Amino acid sequence: MAILITGASAGFGEAMCRTFAAAGYAVIGAARRVEKLNQLAAELGGNFYALQMDVADTQSVRSALDSLPEPFREIDCLINNAGLALGLDAAHEADFADWETMIQTNIVGLAFLTRQVLPQMVARKSGYIMNLGSIAGTYPYPGGNVYGATKAFVRQFSLNLRADLAGTGVRVSNIEPGLCGDTEFSQVRFKGDGERAAKVYEHTQFILPQDIADTALWLYQRPAHMNVNTVEIMPVSQSFGALPVAKNPPPTEKVQDFDKQSTSLFAKIKAWFK
Ligand code: 8X3
């Protein structure tokens, strides 16, 4: 029985591959960048299978799953980690192509792979779907627009899966990280602008990929009767802001002048009728 981890070539996925392999599990690391996976394979040995797969491409997902060798064909845990944020522009200025890429990867890819893997879990009456959501799926922030919305999908999809899987023994969790560094997340979001990406993590202590990998392993190792629906994790340094209120501009001089004039005119008219 194997653990299938998507987005395995970096960040959370890479840390999860190492952590699950070190705990003795057979791990399939899936990603587009096969050379990164081959490095992991060289490090982790026979317990690791490098699977080239583009989750955003349903045909690639299908053929990658079909290509799995026998010892890795039974998937006991699918960790839907692959996903991305692109851009931080306001909705009316954002690049629509970025929105499409996020929707295709974070929603379509995740849903399609889950749909492919679930039947074998249900047939065995055991298995685990572990999704990587985000705090952005719960808390809106400027520029989060479609990225946050895809993660809200992941959150609700995870909960709805639990409803459908009642009585099957298949567990579902959604891990929702906040600010996490030492990953390619911001490099990808800002399209290779390293300076802008570095600023996000400057002078603060963020969550590390290992924190997320440890959480995933802890979830997987809970007893079979226990389902953790949602795990929301922030660094201590991150918190909540006040809800902003847009104010109307104060009355202009002109309006005030008009008020003064109308008051004095009103006084004159009143005097005439005295
Ligand atoms: C990553 C967390 O706050 O950068 O999903 O959107 S955040």
mmCIF file of all heavy atoms in Angstrom, residues 94-143:
data_model
loop_
_atom_site.group_PDB
_atom_site.id
_atom_site.type_symbol
_atom_site.label_atom_id
_atom_site.label_comp_id
_atom_site.label_asym_id
_atom_site.label_seq_id
_atom_site.Cartn_x
_atom_site.Cartn_y
_atom_site.Cartn_z
ATOM 1 N N ALA A 94 -6.300 41.611 -12.697
ATOM 2 C CA ALA A 94 -5.593 40.329 -12.753
ATOM 3 C C ALA A 94 -5.581 39.751 -14.165
ATOM 4 O O ALA A 94 -6.425 40.084 -14.997
ATOM 5 C CB ALA A 94 -6.267 39.350 -11.796
ATOM 6 N N ASP A 95 -4.613 38.860 -14.390
ATOM 7 C CA ASP A 95 -4.490 38.180 -15.678
ATOM 8 C C ASP A 95 -5.432 36.963 -15.664
ATOM 9 O O ASP A 95 -5.261 36.058 -14.846
ATOM 10 C CB ASP A 95 -3.022 37.738 -15.830
ATOM 11 C CG ASP A 95 -2.753 37.088 -17.171
ATOM 12 O OD1 ASP A 95 -3.719 36.718 -17.860
ATOM 13 O OD2 ASP A 95 -1.562 36.942 -17.509
ATOM 14 N N PHE A 96 -6.387 36.959 -16.567
ATOM 15 C CA PHE A 96 -7.379 35.877 -16.543
ATOM 16 C C PHE A 96 -6.737 34.506 -16.792
ATOM 17 O O PHE A 96 -7.208 33.488 -16.270
ATOM 18 C CB PHE A 96 -8.500 36.130 -17.556
ATOM 19 C CG PHE A 96 -9.623 35.149 -17.403
ATOM 20 C CD1 PHE A 96 -10.504 35.244 -16.340
ATOM 21 C CD2 PHE A 96 -9.774 34.094 -18.296
ATOM 22 C CE1 PHE A 96 -11.524 34.311 -16.159
ATOM 23 C CE2 PHE A 96 -10.789 33.162 -18.126
ATOM 24 C CZ PHE A 96 -11.669 33.273 -17.057
ATOM 25 N N ALA A 97 -5.642 34.506 -17.567
ATOM 26 C CA ALA A 97 -4.946 33.232 -17.828
ATOM 27 C C ALA A 97 -4.433 32.637 -16.508
ATOM 28 O O ALA A 97 -4.436 31.413 -16.325
ATOM 29 C CB ALA A 97 -3.798 33.452 -18.795
ATOM 30 N N ASP A 98 -4.027 33.507 -15.576
ATOM 31 C CA ASP A 98 -3.593 33.019 -14.256
ATOM 32 C C ASP A 98 -4.765 32.363 -13.520
ATOM 33 O O ASP A 98 -4.615 31.324 -12.875
ATOM 34 C CB ASP A 98 -3.060 34.180 -13.398
ATOM 35 C CG ASP A 98 -1.699 34.668 -13.862
ATOM 36 O OD1 ASP A 98 -1.067 33.987 -14.692
ATOM 37 O OD2 ASP A 98 -1.272 35.747 -13.398
ATOM 38 N N TRP A 99 -5.913 32.988 -13.627
ATOM 39 C CA TRP A 99 -7.105 32.420 -12.966
ATOM 40 C C TRP A 99 -7.409 31.026 -13.525
ATOM 41 O O TRP A 99 -7.698 30.094 -12.779
ATOM 42 C CB TRP A 99 -8.326 33.333 -13.180
ATOM 43 C CG TRP A 99 -8.280 34.611 -12.396
ATOM 44 C CD1 TRP A 99 -7.235 35.093 -11.663
ATOM 45 C CD2 TRP A 99 -9.344 35.569 -12.271
ATOM 46 N NE1 TRP A 99 -7.575 36.297 -11.097
ATOM 47 C CE2 TRP A 99 -8.851 36.614 -11.447
ATOM 48 C CE3 TRP A 99 -10.631 35.642 -12.762
ATOM 49 C CZ2 TRP A 99 -9.632 37.714 -11.105
ATOM 50 C CZ3 TRP A 99 -11.414 36.749 -12.425
ATOM 51 C CH2 TRP A 99 -10.919 37.768 -11.603
ATOM 52 N N GLU A 100 -7.328 30.926 -14.848
ATOM 53 C CA GLU A 100 -7.619 29.623 -15.483
ATOM 54 C C GLU A 100 -6.632 28.551 -15.024
ATOM 55 O O GLU A 100 -7.023 27.424 -14.741
ATOM 56 C CB GLU A 100 -7.559 29.757 -17.005
ATOM 57 C CG GLU A 100 -8.738 30.516 -17.575
ATOM 58 C CD GLU A 100 -8.678 30.598 -19.095
ATOM 59 O OE1 GLU A 100 -7.643 31.071 -19.613
ATOM 60 O OE2 GLU A 100 -9.648 30.201 -19.743
ATOM 61 N N THR A 101 -5.350 28.937 -14.924
ATOM 62 C CA THR A 101 -4.334 27.958 -14.499
ATOM 63 C C THR A 101 -4.605 27.498 -13.073
ATOM 64 O O THR A 101 -4.510 26.304 -12.757
ATOM 65 C CB THR A 101 -2.918 28.579 -14.599
ATOM 66 O OG1 THR A 101 -2.725 29.053 -15.925
ATOM 67 C CG2 THR A 101 -1.840 27.590 -14.245
ATOM 68 N N MET A 102 -4.952 28.453 -12.197
ATOM 69 C CA MET A 102 -5.223 28.081 -10.796
ATOM 70 C C MET A 102 -6.452 27.176 -10.706
ATOM 71 O O MET A 102 -6.456 26.190 -9.965
ATOM 72 C CB MET A 102 -5.407 29.340 -9.939
ATOM 73 C CG MET A 102 -4.111 30.091 -9.698
ATOM 74 S SD MET A 102 -4.302 31.432 -8.502
ATOM 75 C CE MET A 102 -4.980 32.733 -9.513
ATOM 76 N N ILE A 103 -7.478 27.514 -11.462
ATOM 77 C CA ILE A 103 -8.707 26.700 -11.429
ATOM 78 C C ILE A 103 -8.415 25.296 -11.966
ATOM 79 O O ILE A 103 -8.846 24.292 -11.389
ATOM 80 C CB ILE A 103 -9.836 27.393 -12.231
ATOM 81 C CG1 ILE A 103 -10.291 28.664 -11.495
ATOM 82 C CG2 ILE A 103 -11.009 26.446 -12.472
ATOM 83 C CD1 ILE A 103 -11.157 29.606 -12.333
ATOM 84 N N GLN A 104 -7.645 25.230 -13.052
ATOM 85 C CA GLN A 104 -7.349 23.938 -13.671
ATOM 86 C C GLN A 104 -6.524 23.049 -12.731
ATOM 87 O O GLN A 104 -6.756 21.851 -12.644
ATOM 88 C CB GLN A 104 -6.603 24.167 -14.998
ATOM 89 C CG GLN A 104 -6.386 22.907 -15.821
ATOM 90 C CD GLN A 104 -7.684 22.245 -16.257
ATOM 91 O OE1 GLN A 104 -8.702 22.913 -16.466
ATOM 92 N NE2 GLN A 104 -7.665 20.915 -16.367
ATOM 93 N N THR A 105 -5.582 23.659 -12.035
ATOM 94 C CA THR A 105 -4.698 22.859 -11.166
ATOM 95 C C THR A 105 -5.350 22.594 -9.811
ATOM 96 O O THR A 105 -5.458 21.441 -9.378
ATOM 97 C CB THR A 105 -3.353 23.615 -10.947
ATOM 98 O OG1 THR A 105 -2.841 23.992 -12.214
ATOM 99 C CG2 THR A 105 -2.359 22.749 -10.211
ATOM 100 N N ASN A 106 -5.765 23.679 -9.149
ATOM 101 C CA ASN A 106 -6.210 23.558 -7.747
ATOM 102 C C ASN A 106 -7.594 22.923 -7.624
ATOM 103 O O ASN A 106 -7.907 22.329 -6.588
ATOM 104 C CB ASN A 106 -6.248 24.941 -7.075
ATOM 105 C CG ASN A 106 -4.914 25.656 -7.112
ATOM 106 O OD1 ASN A 106 -3.941 25.147 -7.646
ATOM 107 N ND2 ASN A 106 -4.864 26.860 -6.562
ATOM 108 N N ILE A 107 -8.415 23.083 -8.662
ATOM 109 C CA ILE A 107 -9.769 22.520 -8.579
ATOM 110 C C ILE A 107 -9.910 21.294 -9.491
ATOM 111 O O ILE A 107 -10.135 20.187 -9.016
ATOM 112 C CB ILE A 107 -10.834 23.578 -8.953
ATOM 113 C CG1 ILE A 107 -10.803 24.738 -7.938
ATOM 114 C CG2 ILE A 107 -12.216 22.951 -9.017
ATOM 115 C CD1 ILE A 107 -11.844 25.820 -8.170
ATOM 116 N N VAL A 108 -9.751 21.508 -10.804
ATOM 117 C CA VAL A 108 -10.006 20.395 -11.742
ATOM 118 C C VAL A 108 -9.022 19.250 -11.486
ATOM 119 O O VAL A 108 -9.416 18.083 -11.395
ATOM 120 C CB VAL A 108 -9.919 20.878 -13.216
ATOM 121 C CG1 VAL A 108 -10.150 19.724 -14.175
ATOM 122 C CG2 VAL A 108 -10.926 21.995 -13.465
ATOM 123 N N GLY A 109 -7.732 19.599 -11.355
ATOM 124 C CA GLY A 109 -6.714 18.565 -11.155
ATOM 125 C C GLY A 109 -6.960 17.771 -9.886
ATOM 126 O O GLY A 109 -6.945 16.537 -9.887
ATOM 127 N N LEU A 110 -7.213 18.496 -8.803
ATOM 128 C CA LEU A 110 -7.429 17.840 -7.506
ATOM 129 C C LEU A 110 -8.677 16.953 -7.542
ATOM 130 O O LEU A 110 -8.667 15.814 -7.083
ATOM 131 C CB LEU A 110 -7.533 18.915 -6.424
ATOM 132 C CG LEU A 110 -7.754 18.472 -4.987
ATOM 133 C CD1 LEU A 110 -6.993 19.378 -4.024
ATOM 134 C CD2 LEU A 110 -9.232 18.455 -4.606
ATOM 135 N N ALA A 111 -9.733 17.474 -8.142
ATOM 136 C CA ALA A 111 -10.985 16.707 -8.184
ATOM 137 C C ALA A 111 -10.831 15.474 -9.080
ATOM 138 O O ALA A 111 -11.293 14.380 -8.735
ATOM 139 C CB ALA A 111 -12.120 17.598 -8.689
ATOM 140 N N PHE A 112 -10.155 15.647 -10.216
ATOM 141 C CA PHE A 112 -10.020 14.519 -11.148
ATOM 142 C C PHE A 112 -9.191 13.388 -10.537
ATOM 143 O O PHE A 112 -9.591 12.220 -10.572
ATOM 144 C CB PHE A 112 -9.376 14.987 -12.464
ATOM 145 C CG PHE A 112 -9.325 13.903 -13.502
ATOM 146 C CD1 PHE A 112 -10.461 13.515 -14.194
ATOM 147 C CD2 PHE A 112 -8.129 13.244 -13.772
ATOM 148 C CE1 PHE A 112 -10.419 12.494 -15.145
ATOM 149 C CE2 PHE A 112 -8.081 12.222 -14.719
ATOM 150 C CZ PHE A 112 -9.218 11.848 -15.406
ATOM 151 N N LEU A 113 -8.064 13.753 -9.949
ATOM 152 C CA LEU A 113 -7.203 12.712 -9.354
ATOM 153 C C LEU A 113 -7.937 12.007 -8.209
ATOM 154 O O LEU A 113 -7.872 10.781 -8.073
ATOM 155 C CB LEU A 113 -5.889 13.343 -8.864
ATOM 156 C CG LEU A 113 -4.889 12.402 -8.203
ATOM 157 C CD1 LEU A 113 -4.543 11.200 -9.087
ATOM 158 C CD2 LEU A 113 -3.611 13.154 -7.834
ATOM 159 N N THR A 114 -8.646 12.776 -7.415
ATOM 160 C CA THR A 114 -9.410 12.183 -6.306
ATOM 161 C C THR A 114 -10.434 11.183 -6.848
ATOM 162 O O THR A 114 -10.578 10.074 -6.324
ATOM 163 C CB THR A 114 -10.123 13.296 -5.504
ATOM 164 O OG1 THR A 114 -9.130 14.226 -5.053
ATOM 165 C CG2 THR A 114 -10.883 12.747 -4.324
ATOM 166 N N ARG A 115 -11.104 11.600 -7.917
ATOM 167 C CA ARG A 115 -12.135 10.731 -8.520
ATOM 168 C C ARG A 115 -11.533 9.424 -9.051
ATOM 169 O O ARG A 115 -12.164 8.370 -9.015
ATOM 170 C CB ARG A 115 -12.831 11.504 -9.652
ATOM 171 C CG ARG A 115 -13.871 10.727 -10.416
ATOM 172 C CD ARG A 115 -15.051 10.335 -9.548
ATOM 173 N NE ARG A 115 -16.000 9.491 -10.281
ATOM 174 C CZ ARG A 115 -15.881 8.183 -10.445
ATOM 175 N NH1 ARG A 115 -14.842 7.531 -9.932
ATOM 176 N NH2 ARG A 115 -16.799 7.491 -11.123
ATOM 177 N N GLN A 116 -10.280 9.515 -9.558
ATOM 178 C CA GLN A 116 -9.615 8.319 -10.093
ATOM 179 C C GLN A 116 -9.215 7.350 -8.983
ATOM 180 O O GLN A 116 -9.276 6.133 -9.161
ATOM 181 C CB GLN A 116 -8.340 8.705 -10.876
ATOM 182 C CG GLN A 116 -8.570 9.587 -12.083
ATOM 183 C CD GLN A 116 -9.589 8.995 -13.031
ATOM 184 O OE1 GLN A 116 -9.389 7.908 -13.565
ATOM 185 N NE2 GLN A 116 -10.696 9.682 -13.223
ATOM 186 N N VAL A 117 -8.809 7.890 -7.848
ATOM 187 C CA VAL A 117 -8.220 7.055 -6.795
ATOM 188 C C VAL A 117 -9.269 6.517 -5.812
ATOM 189 O O VAL A 117 -9.112 5.444 -5.229
ATOM 190 C CB VAL A 117 -7.115 7.872 -6.051
ATOM 191 C CG1 VAL A 117 -6.609 7.144 -4.829
ATOM 192 C CG2 VAL A 117 -5.959 8.170 -7.003
ATOM 193 N N LEU A 118 -10.367 7.268 -5.657
ATOM 194 C CA LEU A 118 -11.357 6.902 -4.629
ATOM 195 C C LEU A 118 -11.957 5.495 -4.765
ATOM 196 O O LEU A 118 -12.109 4.807 -3.748
ATOM 197 C CB LEU A 118 -12.503 7.921 -4.617
ATOM 198 C CG LEU A 118 -12.437 9.021 -3.567
ATOM 199 C CD1 LEU A 118 -13.677 9.902 -3.657
ATOM 200 C CD2 LEU A 118 -12.312 8.449 -2.151
ATOM 201 N N PRO A 119 -12.312 5.055 -5.989
ATOM 202 C CA PRO A 119 -12.998 3.751 -6.067
ATOM 203 C C PRO A 119 -12.222 2.609 -5.423
ATOM 204 O O PRO A 119 -12.811 1.765 -4.741
ATOM 205 C CB PRO A 119 -13.162 3.539 -7.584
ATOM 206 C CG PRO A 119 -13.218 4.926 -8.140
ATOM 207 C CD PRO A 119 -12.263 5.718 -7.308
ATOM 208 N N GLN A 120 -10.894 2.588 -5.594
ATOM 209 C CA GLN A 120 -10.128 1.481 -4.992
ATOM 210 C C GLN A 120 -10.165 1.574 -3.468
ATOM 211 O O GLN A 120 -10.188 0.556 -2.778
ATOM 212 C CB GLN A 120 -8.690 1.432 -5.517
ATOM 213 C CG GLN A 120 -7.886 2.708 -5.343
ATOM 214 C CD GLN A 120 -6.384 2.490 -5.502
ATOM 215 O OE1 GLN A 120 -5.773 1.825 -4.669
ATOM 216 N NE2 GLN A 120 -5.804 3.031 -6.567
ATOM 217 N N MET A 121 -10.221 2.792 -2.922
ATOM 218 C CA MET A 121 -10.288 2.948 -1.461
ATOM 219 C C MET A 121 -11.638 2.466 -0.936
ATOM 220 O O MET A 121 -11.720 1.757 0.057
ATOM 221 C CB MET A 121 -10.068 4.416 -1.072
ATOM 222 C CG MET A 121 -8.678 4.949 -1.367
ATOM 223 S SD MET A 121 -8.508 6.662 -0.792
ATOM 224 C CE MET A 121 -6.797 6.982 -1.217
ATOM 225 N N VAL A 122 -12.682 2.875 -1.652
ATOM 226 C CA VAL A 122 -14.033 2.495 -1.218
ATOM 227 C C VAL A 122 -14.177 0.974 -1.301
ATOM 228 O O VAL A 122 -14.726 0.340 -0.391
ATOM 229 C CB VAL A 122 -15.104 3.210 -2.082
ATOM 230 C CG1 VAL A 122 -16.506 2.691 -1.774
ATOM 231 C CG2 VAL A 122 -15.034 4.723 -1.829
ATOM 232 N N ALA A 123 -13.633 0.378 -2.358
ATOM 233 C CA ALA A 123 -13.723 -1.088 -2.511
ATOM 234 C C ALA A 123 -13.000 -1.787 -1.361
ATOM 235 O O ALA A 123 -13.453 -2.828 -0.876
ATOM 236 C CB ALA A 123 -13.116 -1.506 -3.849
ATOM 237 N N ARG A 124 -11.904 -1.227 -0.885
ATOM 238 C CA ARG A 124 -11.140 -1.837 0.222
ATOM 239 C C ARG A 124 -11.701 -1.448 1.586
ATOM 240 O O ARG A 124 -11.262 -1.921 2.609
ATOM 241 C CB ARG A 124 -9.665 -1.384 0.166
ATOM 242 C CG ARG A 124 -8.822 -2.071 -0.878
ATOM 243 C CD ARG A 124 -7.336 -1.864 -0.609
ATOM 244 N NE ARG A 124 -6.977 -0.461 -0.556
ATOM 245 C CZ ARG A 124 -6.589 0.258 -1.615
ATOM 246 N NH1 ARG A 124 -6.506 -0.304 -2.798
ATOM 247 N NH2 ARG A 124 -6.291 1.529 -1.484
ATOM 248 N N LYS A 125 -12.635 -0.505 1.583
ATOM 249 C CA LYS A 125 -13.219 0.048 2.819
ATOM 250 C C LYS A 125 -12.145 0.651 3.717
ATOM 251 O O LYS A 125 -12.199 0.559 4.945
ATOM 252 C CB LYS A 125 -14.034 -1.007 3.570
ATOM 253 C CG LYS A 125 -15.342 -1.352 2.855
ATOM 254 C CD LYS A 125 -16.340 -1.988 3.800
ATOM 255 C CE LYS A 125 -17.746 -1.946 3.257
ATOM 256 N NZ LYS A 125 -18.338 -0.641 3.123
ATOM 257 N N SER A 126 -11.169 1.256 3.108
ATOM 258 C CA SER A 126 -10.140 1.973 3.863
ATOM 259 C C SER A 126 -9.323 2.852 2.932
ATOM 260 O O SER A 126 -9.120 2.515 1.764
ATOM 261 C CB SER A 126 -9.267 0.961 4.616
ATOM 262 O OG SER A 126 -7.932 1.077 4.309
ATOM 263 N N GLY A 127 -8.887 3.969 3.452
ATOM 264 C CA GLY A 127 -8.091 4.882 2.632
ATOM 265 C C GLY A 127 -8.155 6.278 3.224
ATOM 266 O O GLY A 127 -8.855 6.517 4.217
ATOM 267 N N TYR A 128 -7.391 7.169 2.603
ATOM 268 C CA TYR A 128 -7.299 8.513 3.170
ATOM 269 C C TYR A 128 -7.092 9.512 2.034
ATOM 270 O O TYR A 128 -6.175 9.367 1.232
ATOM 271 C CB TYR A 128 -6.107 8.579 4.136
ATOM 272 C CG TYR A 128 -6.207 9.622 5.231
ATOM 273 C CD1 TYR A 128 -5.807 9.327 6.525
ATOM 274 C CD2 TYR A 128 -6.689 10.905 4.974
ATOM 275 C CE1 TYR A 128 -5.889 10.269 7.548
ATOM 276 C CE2 TYR A 128 -6.773 11.853 5.987
ATOM 277 C CZ TYR A 128 -6.377 11.539 7.270
ATOM 278 O OH TYR A 128 -6.455 12.474 8.273
ATOM 279 N N ILE A 129 -7.963 10.520 1.960
ATOM 280 C CA ILE A 129 -7.755 11.646 1.044
ATOM 281 C C ILE A 129 -7.349 12.831 1.919
ATOM 282 O O ILE A 129 -8.117 13.272 2.771
ATOM 283 C CB ILE A 129 -9.050 12.022 0.268
ATOM 284 C CG1 ILE A 129 -9.622 10.820 -0.497
ATOM 285 C CG2 ILE A 129 -8.782 13.210 -0.653
ATOM 286 C CD1 ILE A 129 -8.852 10.372 -1.704
ATOM 287 N N MET A 130 -6.124 13.297 1.699
ATOM 288 C CA MET A 130 -5.640 14.432 2.491
ATOM 289 C C MET A 130 -5.417 15.592 1.518
ATOM 290 O O MET A 130 -4.581 15.501 0.612
ATOM 291 C CB MET A 130 -4.323 14.044 3.164
ATOM 292 C CG MET A 130 -4.124 14.685 4.499
ATOM 293 S SD MET A 130 -2.566 14.193 5.237
ATOM 294 C CE MET A 130 -2.898 12.556 5.841
ATOM 295 N N ASN A 131 -6.182 16.640 1.697
ATOM 296 C CA ASN A 131 -6.079 17.779 0.784
ATOM 297 C C ASN A 131 -5.272 18.911 1.414
ATOM 298 O O ASN A 131 -5.281 19.091 2.634
ATOM 299 C CB ASN A 131 -7.477 18.282 0.414
ATOM 300 C CG ASN A 131 -8.212 17.278 -0.458
ATOM 301 O OD1 ASN A 131 -7.579 16.560 -1.253
ATOM 302 N ND2 ASN A 131 -9.526 17.195 -0.320
ATOM 303 N N LEU A 132 -4.612 19.662 0.550
ATOM 304 C CA LEU A 132 -3.908 20.859 1.010
ATOM 305 C C LEU A 132 -4.719 22.073 0.608
ATOM 306 O O LEU A 132 -4.712 22.482 -0.550
ATOM 307 C CB LEU A 132 -2.492 20.912 0.412
ATOM 308 C CG LEU A 132 -1.366 20.384 1.317
ATOM 309 C CD1 LEU A 132 -1.172 21.247 2.559
ATOM 310 C CD2 LEU A 132 -1.619 18.947 1.766
ATOM 311 N N GLY A 133 -5.474 22.585 1.580
ATOM 312 C CA GLY A 133 -6.217 23.811 1.367
ATOM 313 C C GLY A 133 -5.316 24.985 1.746
ATOM 314 O O GLY A 133 -4.090 24.943 1.548
ATOM 315 N N SER A 134 -5.906 25.982 2.309
ATOM 316 C CA SER A 134 -5.143 27.174 2.720
ATOM 317 C C SER A 134 -6.037 28.013 3.623
ATOM 318 O O SER A 134 -7.270 27.974 3.498
ATOM 319 C CB SER A 134 -4.767 27.996 1.488
ATOM 320 O OG SER A 134 -4.309 29.287 1.867
ATOM 321 N N ILE A 135 -5.407 28.825 4.463
ATOM 322 C CA ILE A 135 -6.207 29.793 5.210
ATOM 323 C C ILE A 135 -6.903 30.757 4.243
ATOM 324 O O ILE A 135 -7.919 31.353 4.570
ATOM 325 C CB ILE A 135 -5.365 30.579 6.239
ATOM 326 C CG1 ILE A 135 -4.242 31.365 5.548
ATOM 327 C CG2 ILE A 135 -4.817 29.685 7.330
ATOM 328 C CD1 ILE A 135 -3.690 32.491 6.390
ATOM 329 N N ALA A 136 -6.342 30.871 3.033
ATOM 330 C CA ALA A 136 -6.937 31.769 2.022
ATOM 331 C C ALA A 136 -8.317 31.263 1.572
ATOM 332 O O ALA A 136 -9.071 32.012 0.955
ATOM 333 C CB ALA A 136 -6.009 31.890 0.812
ATOM 334 N N GLY A 137 -8.640 30.026 1.875
ATOM 335 C CA GLY A 137 -9.959 29.487 1.542
ATOM 336 C C GLY A 137 -11.020 29.903 2.544
ATOM 337 O O GLY A 137 -12.222 29.716 2.316
ATOM 338 N N THR A 138 -10.573 30.438 3.663
ATOM 339 C CA THR A 138 -11.505 30.869 4.720
ATOM 340 C C THR A 138 -11.493 32.387 4.880
ATOM 341 O O THR A 138 -12.542 33.006 5.004
ATOM 342 C CB THR A 138 -11.114 30.215 6.071
ATOM 343 O OG1 THR A 138 -11.094 28.797 5.895
ATOM 344 C CG2 THR A 138 -12.096 30.587 7.164
ATOM 345 N N TYR A 139 -10.280 32.954 4.894
ATOM 346 C CA TYR A 139 -10.145 34.385 5.163
ATOM 347 C C TYR A 139 -9.806 35.126 3.876
ATOM 348 O O TYR A 139 -8.764 34.859 3.272
ATOM 349 C CB TYR A 139 -9.041 34.634 6.199
ATOM 350 C CG TYR A 139 -9.216 33.785 7.437
ATOM 351 C CD1 TYR A 139 -8.392 32.692 7.671
ATOM 352 C CD2 TYR A 139 -10.234 34.055 8.348
ATOM 353 C CE1 TYR A 139 -8.558 31.889 8.792
ATOM 354 C CE2 TYR A 139 -10.414 33.261 9.465
ATOM 355 C CZ TYR A 139 -9.575 32.177 9.681
ATOM 356 O OH TYR A 139 -9.758 31.387 10.781
ATOM 357 N N PRO A 140 -10.652 36.030 3.430
ATOM 358 C CA PRO A 140 -10.332 36.783 2.217
ATOM 359 C C PRO A 140 -9.230 37.807 2.471
ATOM 360 O O PRO A 140 -9.094 38.293 3.595
ATOM 361 C CB PRO A 140 -11.652 37.494 1.883
ATOM 362 C CG PRO A 140 -12.468 37.470 3.116
ATOM 363 C CD PRO A 140 -11.934 36.428 4.046
ATOM 364 N N TYR A 141 -8.440 38.064 1.460
ATOM 365 C CA TYR A 141 -7.471 39.166 1.550
ATOM 366 C C TYR A 141 -7.317 39.796 0.175
ATOM 367 O O TYR A 141 -7.566 39.129 -0.838
ATOM 368 C CB TYR A 141 -6.125 38.714 2.139
ATOM 369 C CG TYR A 141 -5.395 37.613 1.394
ATOM 370 C CD1 TYR A 141 -4.646 37.866 0.248
ATOM 371 C CD2 TYR A 141 -5.436 36.300 1.869
ATOM 372 C CE1 TYR A 141 -3.962 36.853 -0.404
ATOM 373 C CE2 TYR A 141 -4.756 35.278 1.215
ATOM 374 C CZ TYR A 141 -4.015 35.560 0.080
ATOM 375 O OH TYR A 141 -3.339 34.559 -0.562
ATOM 376 N N PRO A 142 -6.910 41.066 0.115
ATOM 377 C CA PRO A 142 -6.803 41.742 -1.179
ATOM 378 C C PRO A 142 -5.840 41.000 -2.100
ATOM 379 O O PRO A 142 -4.731 40.653 -1.703
ATOM 380 C CB PRO A 142 -6.248 43.132 -0.824
ATOM 381 C CG PRO A 142 -6.554 43.309 0.620
ATOM 382 C CD PRO A 142 -6.538 41.954 1.246
ATOM 383 N N GLY A 143 -6.294 40.726 -3.306
ATOM 384 C CA GLY A 143 -5.461 40.030 -4.284
ATOM 385 C C GLY A 143 -5.578 38.517 -4.197
ATOM 386 O O GLY A 143 -5.029 37.794 -5.016
#
